[in-house]
Amino acid sequence: MLQPPPAEPGMMEEEVDTPALLLDLDAFEANLDAMAALLAPTGAKLRAHAKTHKSAVIARLQLARGAIGQCVQKVGEAEALAWGGVPDILVSNQVVGAAKLARLAALSGIAQVAVCADDAGQVAEIAAAAEAAGVRLPVLVEIDCGASRCGVEPGPAAVALAERIAASPHLRFGGLQSYHGSAQHKRSPGEREAAIAHAAEVTRRTVEQLRQRGLDCPVVGGGGTGTFALEAASGVYTEIQAGSYAFMDADYARNDVPPPFRQSLFVLATVMSRAVPGVAVVDAGHKAVAVDSGLPLVHGRPGLRFASASDEHGKLLVEDGAAPALGEKLRLVPGHCDPTVDRYDWYVGVRKGRVECLWPIAARGLMA
Ligand code: PLP
Ligand code: MN
């Protein structure tokens, strides 16, 4: 059920009801500008990942600052963006099952939609859905460039799958998907460089082998917030798929040499108990803020440490002299931005302490 917004434009931040998802608009806009400036001198364009923000509003702001489209992970996300006016969407993922594929093919009527595949049987299923809908779907071959999650082997296996796609009258070979997920949070820059050097090299060789078989590779997609500068500089990747850069989180900030973006996303929480000495409890437990990549940090309050999260309680340890007042509102920096966003219906956009806008998170919680 869609919850009513926790605030109204013009309110002060302290008046926002909690727990709420705050977006610091100055920091957010600075992040969009920083990414545009960093990619401008490279050959790569931004196809920002909507798995992070799940919102057509944010997608359109990214497009207005030069992004060429959006990535999504799920058909439900693609629907939310297409219905919200986003014209160019890549499902950077495998979509399996006739019902989902029929929905995806139907979307082709209102937006340019592409999808990934790493299996010949799957290519046949996508072709059947495209034929039934009377559309021609672009399909990218996903290669395993080092993370061992999805993707066929780079080289001949990828070329064989691309040839199958190209041979179908209902499909078009769209290029290669080459995303190295586990490289994003490798702590040292050297480890990230080594992982992406390998990914770029196997991808480059695959593009070359495609060319030898007469197949042009119009798109090579990959790169996240931790490594995008490496993919962009490689000369191999044409599209960068970073998502978290717009918001950032405590886990990305723990990388040695963290990504060059500001924290713009916060969970606003209220101090609801001060009964135990040395402890303050806020109304944001792990139902309000994701803890899969570590506990949140208390923003701007060095004497307060978020020590544990239960369903509805966040327990803070308080250093001498740092105690917050009962009812005080605190900004928490989520450990992981994507699943935190998924818990909320609304972004509360704030600028200089005042609520400016409320944006719906249309694709939140979509399981399909
Ligand atoms: N591309 C793909 C295929 C992904 O799965 C992800 C995240 O998991 C990203 C890009 C974006 O990563 P990040 O939010 O770390 O920038
Ligand atoms: Mn993430």
Side-chain angles (χ1 to χ4, degrees), residues 51-52 185 244 249 252 336-339:
K51 72 192 275 279
T52 304
H185 293 265
S244 302
D249 56 34
Y252 260 130
H336 191 180
C337 56
D338 315 64

Side-chain angles (χ1 to χ4, degrees), residues 2-366:
L2 186 72
Q3 300 291 315
E8 284 175 20
M11 271 185 176
M12 299 305 292
E13 180 172 323
E14 303 77 60
E15 298 174 273
V16 174
D17 206 0
T18 64
L21 193 66
L22 288 192
L23 190 58
D24 182 317
L25 296 167
D26 284 336
F28 166 70
E29 290 166 6
N31 290 345
L32 300 196
D33 288 338
M35 181 59 95
L38 287 165
L39 290 184
T42 76
K45 305 285 186 213
L46 179 65
R47 179 182 288 281
H49 215 304
K51 72 192 275 279
T52 304
H53 59 69
K54 291 174 166 277
S55 149
V57 180
I58 290 186
R60 290 167 68 164
L61 292 171
Q62 290 172 320
L63 295 175
R65 282 170 161 84
I68 55 161
Q70 293 276 303
C71 289
V72 298
Q73 229 55 328
K74 302 194 290 186
V75 176
E77 292 171 350
E79 288 168 338
L81 294 194
W83 296 340
V86 175
D88 189 338
I89 301 164
L90 165 66
V91 186
S92 60
N93 206 355
Q94 280 65 35
V95 176
V96 172
K100 286 190 179 69
L101 285 168
R103 284 163 54 204
L104 191 71
L107 268 192
S108 288
I110 58 165
Q112 162 80 24
V113 181
V115 65
C116 295
D118 64 1
D119 180 87
Q122 182 56 14
V123 167
E125 270 204 24
I126 301 169
E131 181 177 13
V135 299
R136 193 158 183 198
L137 275 181
V139 180
L140 280 71
V141 171
E142 177 160 11
I143 57 173
D144 176 9
C145 63
S148 305
R149 186 174 65 179
C150 296
V152 290
E153 279 286 301
V159 174
L161 198 56
E163 285 178 328
R164 252 176 204 268
I165 295 165
S168 166
H170 310 293
L171 306 178
R172 191 161 59 69
F173 173 58
L176 294 178
Q177 169 70 10
S178 179
Y179 174 68
H180 197 319
S182 59
Q184 303 307 314
H185 293 265
K186 287 189 187 298
R187 293 300 178 212
S188 81
E191 285 176 291
R192 297 197 292 275
E193 281 164 26
I196 301 309
H198 169 81
E201 180 52 23
V202 298
T203 308
R204 189 191 61 71
R205 273 195 242 138
T206 307
V207 172
E208 186 49 39
Q209 290 169 21
L210 286 164
R211 204 166 283 137
Q212 283 163 7
R213 300 298 300 249
L215 278 179
D216 184 38
C217 188
V219 169
V220 176
T225 299
T227 66
F228 72 93
L230 301 168
E231 282 92 344
S234 70
V236 176
Y237 286 80
T238 66
E239 295 187 358
I240 294 302
Q241 303 179 340
S244 302
Y245 80 97
F247 298 157
M248 286 292 288
D249 56 34
D251 196 47
Y252 260 130
R254 276 189 283 271
N255 276 1
D256 306 339
V257 191
F261 303 105
R262 289 166 60 182
Q263 186 64 42
S264 68
L265 187 83
F266 302 90
V267 167
L268 191 70
T270 300
V271 177
M272 57 186 271
S273 173
R274 286 281 325 280
V276 175
V279 168
V281 179
V282 292
D283 61 350
H286 61 71
K287 286 187 185 173
V289 58
V291 297
D292 61 296
S293 300
L295 292 169
L297 307 174
V298 185
H299 181 68
R301 297 292 291 265
L304 298 178
R305 186 167 70 79
F306 198 110
S308 64
S310 43
D311 282 354
E312 312 290 0
H313 298 83
K315 181 175 169 182
L316 313 186
L317 297 183
V318 179
E319 283 178 12
D320 283 351
L326 189 67
E328 192 173 335
K329 303 223 164 119
L330 300 172
R331 282 185 176 199
L332 306 179
V333 177
H336 191 180
C337 56
D338 315 64
T340 298
V341 168
D342 197 46
R343 287 151 161 78
Y344 292 86
D345 286 311
W346 299 95
Y347 291 105
V348 180
V350 295
R351 202 186 302 272
K352 301 191 186 6
R354 197 175 279 280
V355 176
E356 186 172 301
C357 54
L358 289 141
W359 294 338
I361 306 177
R364 74 153 291 216
L366 287 174

